[in-house]
């Protein structure tokens, strides 16, 4: 299985937003190990992501780590 590369900005923003929602779902499920992993590996990078005044994601604030995590999460869930 390979990572699905987003074809446009809309797909990429969907992946980033999906990564944010995953963190909220982990809190609902209360899986302590998964929450600790999310806080350690994802949250520091996700906090650096900024939004523009029109609500879109500022692509200049996306680093390689968060981009890869968002695209991998999308590939793992939807490629089956």
């Amino acid at each position: 299985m390979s990572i699905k590369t987003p074809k446009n900005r809309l797909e990429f923003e969907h992946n980033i937003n999906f990564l944010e929602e995953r963190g909220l779902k982990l809190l609902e499920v209360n899986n302590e190990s998964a929450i600790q992993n999310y806080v350690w590996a994802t949250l520091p990078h996700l906090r650096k992501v900024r939004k523009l005044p029109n609500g879109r994601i500022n692509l200049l604030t996306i680093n390689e780590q968060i981009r890869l995590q968002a695209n991998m999460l999308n590939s793992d869930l939807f490629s089956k």
Side-chain angles (χ1 to χ4, degrees):
M1 172 178 16
S2 63
I3 295 175
K4 290 191 312 188
T5 305
K7 294 182 180 25
N8 53 40
R9 183 181 179 136
L10 184 64
E11 289 181 9
F12 180 71
E13 287 184 356
H14 170 266
N15 292 351
I16 295 293
N17 290 326
F18 195 53
L19 191 59
E20 289 176 319
E21 289 177 18
R22 181 175 179 260
L24 295 174
K25 288 185 182 187
L26 288 174
L27 290 173
E28 289 176 7
V29 174
N30 201 20
N31 181 345
E32 193 65 35
S33 175
I35 291 171
Q36 287 177 355
N37 187 39
Y38 185 85
V39 168
W40 172 77
T42 306
L43 196 58
H45 303 286
L46 200 55
R47 284 185 174 164
K48 294 177 184 175
V49 175
R50 299 288 176 235
K51 295 207 176 187
L52 298 171
N54 64 359
R56 306 285 305 263
I57 293 175
N58 183 351
L59 297 178
L60 298 175
T61 61
I62 302 290
N63 65 18
E64 190 73 10
Q65 182 77 19
I66 201 71
R67 183 188 67 81
L68 287 172
Q69 287 181 355
N71 291 339
M72 282 191 304
L73 179 66
N74 188 31
S75 295
D76 289 341
L77 293 178
F78 294 115
S79 64
K80 294 178 182 177

